[in-house]
Amino acid sequence: MATPPPTPRLILKPGTAWSGAWQQCLTAAPEAFRDDGVLSLWNGTWQADGRVLPATSPIDGSPIAGPPRLDSEAAQAAVRASLDQHRAWRHVPLEERRAKVTATLDALTEHRELLALLLVWEIGKPWRLAQADVDRAIDGVRWYVDGIEPMLEGRSPLDGPVSNIASWNYPMSVLVHAMLVQSLAGNAVIAKTPTDGGVACLTLACALAHREGIPITLVSGSGGELSEALVRSPEIGCVSFVGGRDTGAAVATAVADLGKRHILEQEGLNTWGIWNFTDWSSLSAVIPKLFDYGKQRCTAYPRFVVQRALFDAFLATYLPAVRDIRIGHPLAVENPEDPLPRLDFGPLINAAKAKELNDQIAEAIDRGAVPLHRGSLADGHFLTGQDTSAYVPPVTLLNPPPASPLHHAEPFGPVDTIVLVDTEAELLAAMNASNGALVATLSTDAPATYARLAPQIRAFKVGRNKPRSRGDRDELFGGLGASWRGAFVGGELLVHAVTDGPAEERLPGNFPDHHRTL
């Protein structure tokens, strides 16, 4: 019997160390970075305030820059200063705003690879996905720069700045993208750095924008301590939130009480239904892509609802595909000249999230869920002896029990759950388990079946035989049910959401007094 070849010993790709990335930040934006951390940006200047908390990279547990957490008093001062900036910026001519945003995009492009490398270290994105996050921000805002005039026709900036509170998973393509479009529309903008990661990337991006004269405020701190300033302050013209339902519900209550403009993107259990379907080869090609970034995104599909009669064919397609998924250290290579690895995902956002998810998996199995697939870190792409506490391999469970969080909530990690159904009514009930979602897909051979069932699926976007995504540029985006509150976005609607139009305008969205999709 032949001896298997030894496992290659991996090394950190030369030129990708955190220390080198940090030195590049010090060179690129010395006004915003210090040897021991980042500064806050408010009142038009970089401020050495806040209590810096220690932080570690999810990649290997090594120390990285932590956010300087402001208290509520400093946050209130930052909001008041942003209002002063807003009152000046809203009168700046559009052509001047356009020129400043364009110059910012050029600077972001110049520092594209550094921004992506920071994302790898801070939130664990594989190199390919980190680059895509930066590129989507730049390309998306350029689309608005080129076509902003008709979007602003008959409209004016809000009375106060836009406050942005976003999750950590897409700092560039969601948060920076939104901030630059909001400023292009005539608003000063405030952003809270996500608690779990991305502070260095956001600091560099905001430093480049600030140099061009964009009125940006960047602060850090706990949501509970800063919410009074960033959500309830009368100076705030609009609250834009991306995150979970628990926090989103509290924000929704506050903005509803105040009658404040809001955009609240909340989680939902996005589902993929299989009904009278035979094109298994197309599904096999899609399954690995559904694990991009470990399903740590708002449009991930963690639930398959499968017709029982098709379960054997589904498993024959699904299991080989999920077994081929590659995870590991995003910057590890065998030889110095090798390109960075093409991984499906790296770590989760931190070791605490990995433990929480592993505990939920164990509890679900203990209560009756059937484990169909459990990957192993032993097969991962890791440096010898590195910390792997933030990594979770793919897991697939059949019939998670109703008492388990995996039954009704988005796991935000590489866990698929499968529910078997026998009737169309059961299919729809299982696909609508979370009272609203952002996306869903129904795989079925017959167009008539899709046309009949898709309108009954409570997701904002429903695809046939292929995944749906948030979309860019002119594609409308929102959520149904509890997955979204306030104005929908996408294309001109993102601009309309942060500007005032006709006096009796009813924006598309889910508002306390109306729901409108177009």
Side-chain angles (χ1 to χ4, degrees):
M1 180 174 170
T3 302
T7 302
R9 185 179 181 87
L10 303 179
I11 61 171
L12 185 69
K13 172 80 171 177
T16 65
W18 169 258
S19 58
W22 188 255
Q23 287 301 315
Q24 290 183 64
C25 291
L26 290 170
T27 300
E31 70 274 26
F33 292 84
R34 296 291 182 268
D35 288 338
D36 58 349
V38 303
L39 303 182
S40 302
L41 174 60
W42 59 275
N43 196 26
T45 60
W46 291 97
Q47 313 267 359
D49 52 10
R51 179 171 57 92
V52 179
L53 292 185
T56 57
S57 170
I59 289 180
D60 59 4
S62 60
I64 58 173
R69 295 165 68 96
L70 272 64
D71 58 24
S72 57
E73 183 178 349
Q76 289 284 3
V79 169
R80 289 192 295 269
S82 181
L83 177 61
D84 292 337
Q85 291 179 306
H86 179 83
R87 286 170 171 166
W89 179 255
R90 71 194 310 272
H91 298 295
V92 172
L94 175 58
E95 280 308 306
E96 185 176 341
R97 300 200 304 264
R98 188 207 306 268
K100 292 178 182 295
V101 172
T102 299
T104 299
L105 297 175
D106 292 342
L108 293 174
T109 302
E110 179 184 351
H111 294 282
R112 169 183 180 264
E113 293 207 349
L114 175 54
L115 291 163
L117 184 57
L118 293 171
L119 290 180
V120 175
W121 279 109
E122 293 192 284
I123 62 174
K125 282 200 170 185
W127 181 243
R128 169 180 59 89
L129 299 179
Q131 288 179 304
D133 192 23
V134 177
D135 291 343
R136 284 184 61 191
I138 295 169
D139 296 343
V141 178
R142 286 198 193 279
W143 182 84
Y144 283 94
V145 166
D146 292 340
I148 189 66
E149 286 92 345
M151 302 182 198
L152 287 175
E153 187 174 352
R155 311 190 68 81
S156 60
L158 300 174
D159 290 335
V162 181
S163 177
N164 295 271
I165 304 170
S167 57
W168 43 265
N169 51 348
Y170 286 91
M172 293 295 298
S173 63
V174 173
L175 184 51
V176 170
H177 175 278
M179 293 162 63
L180 291 178
V181 174
Q182 293 160 7
S183 64
L184 181 64
N187 302 288
V189 294
I190 304 169
K192 175 187 172 296
T193 60
T195 303
D196 288 321
V199 63
C201 178
L202 285 170
T203 299
L204 177 57
C206 289
L208 299 175
H210 176 63
R211 283 181 185 173
E212 303 302 335
I214 306 293
I216 282 181
T217 294
L218 182 67
V219 296
S220 304
S222 72
E225 194 164 14
L226 300 193
S227 63
E228 189 69 24
L230 301 184
V231 175
R232 290 185 168 274
S233 289
E235 292 91 346
I236 298 295
C238 176
V239 176
S240 177
F241 170 87
V242 180
R245 288 195 180 185
D246 291 343
T247 304
V251 174
T253 299
V255 295
D257 290 345
L258 299 168
K260 195 183 295 292
R261 184 77 62 87
H262 55 285
I263 308 162
L264 310 181
E265 178 185 331
Q266 301 170 172
E267 66 185 15
L269 185 62
N270 305 318
T271 58
W272 192 302
I274 310 286
W275 189 261
N276 292 342
F277 178 70
T278 59
D279 187 9
W280 300 110
S281 61
S282 66
L283 182 63
S284 176
V286 166
I287 286 169
K289 299 176 184 177
L290 301 182
F291 278 87
D292 269 0
Y293 196 31
K295 303 208 174 199
Q296 297 178 104
R297 49 196 176 92
C298 65
T299 54
Y301 286 83
R303 167 68 52 80
F304 286 92
V305 181
V306 182
Q307 187 177 5
R308 192 182 306 271
L310 300 180
F311 187 45
D312 57 340
F314 173 81
L315 277 188
T317 299
Y318 175 89
L319 290 177
V322 77
R323 287 172 184 144
D324 284 341
I325 288 171
R326 296 189 71 213
I327 70 170
H329 192 307
L331 302 173
V333 294
E334 186 175 350
N335 302 296
E337 67 275 11
D338 290 346
L340 290 170
R342 288 186 64 85
L343 302 173
D344 294 292
F345 62 93
L348 300 192
I349 186 58
N350 52 46
K353 174 60 182 178
K355 181 182 184 304
E356 174 190 290
L357 195 55
N358 280 322
D359 288 347
Q360 290 178 353
I361 293 166
E363 180 186 38
I365 294 172
D366 185 60
R367 295 186 178 186
V370 179
L372 298 177
H373 173 75
R374 281 191 276 191
S376 170
L377 294 184
D379 302 323
H381 182 86
F382 298 112
L383 301 177
T384 301
Q386 78 160 82
D387 185 325
T388 59
S389 58
Y391 293 80
V392 176
V395 174
T396 308
L397 303 178
L398 175 66
N399 291 335
S404 168
L406 298 177
H407 178 80
H408 55 79
E410 181 181 15
F412 231 62
V415 178
D416 277 342
T417 56
I418 300 173
V419 173
L420 303 182
V421 295
D422 296 296
T423 67
E424 289 184 356
E426 290 177 314
L427 174 82
L428 292 170
M431 292 189 72
N432 294 331
S434 68
N435 183 31
L438 305 179
V439 297
T441 289
L442 178 60
S443 286
T444 184
D445 291 344
T449 300
Y450 177 82
R452 184 178 71 256
L453 297 179
Q456 302 177 67
I457 298 171
R458 286 182 57 75
F460 192 80
K461 293 182 179 181
V462 181
R464 180 182 169 217
N465 301 349
K466 60 183 181 180
R468 296 305 309 269
S469 68
R470 180 186 179 92
D472 288 313
R473 303 177 180 179
D474 58 353
E475 187 176 3
L476 181 68
F477 187 65
L480 294 188
S483 67
W484 197 282
R485 306 290 179 89
F488 295 149
V489 295
E492 67 177 12
L493 291 187
L494 176 54
V495 174
H496 292 181
V498 295
T499 54
D500 286 326
E504 301 303 318
E505 180 179 51
R506 293 165 68 87
L507 292 170
N510 293 330
F511 292 94
D513 60 346
H514 77 273
H515 168 78
R516 181 181 167 220
T517 55
L518 290 175

